[in-house]
Amino acid sequence: MRAAAVSEYLDRLFDLGTGHLGWTAAQTLDTNLDHIRRAADARHELISSVLRAVFPPAPTPPGGDGVAGKLMRFASSHNGMIAARAASETT
């Protein structure tokens, strides 16, 4: 690993400790590198779970989010209009 990459990684861990985790510089520097990473991951999981509880994800629409689902929703929402037009064209 190149020296610049190691330096960037250590800077990132220091930023996580002092910023995201709220530790002092001394606490961060006295902590094992793996423990900083694990603490930051745990903090991320905690915040994510709280946000999911407060703002639940939107339900998946019928038919999914793909093209087939969009076509199914379009057809079901315009079914009356399509049937009326078909009836007028046959008479």
Side-chain angles (χ1 to χ4, degrees):
M1 184 178 250
R2 61 187 176 86
V6 172
S7 176
E8 290 169 6
Y9 179 72
L10 295 175
D11 286 345
R12 177 69 180 140
L13 287 177
F14 185 80
D15 292 345
L16 285 172
T18 57
H20 293 243
L21 299 172
W23 297 346
T24 66
Q27 290 171 317
T28 303
L29 293 172
D30 287 341
T31 302
N32 178 294
L33 300 179
D34 185 51
H35 292 168
I36 296 171
R37 178 86 254 158
R38 291 177 65 191
D41 289 345
R43 177 81 169 193
H44 180 265
E45 287 178 32
L46 171 69
I47 292 172
S48 294
S49 65
V50 168
L51 289 175
R52 278 191 302 273
V54 174
F55 304 106
T60 303
D65 290 325
V67 173
K70 290 176 183 176
L71 288 172
M72 287 175 53
R73 288 189 298 282
F74 175 81
S76 67
S77 66
H78 292 82
N79 196 19
M81 181 179 71
I82 293 168
R85 184 170 185 176
S88 70
E89 290 177 355
T90 58
T91 56

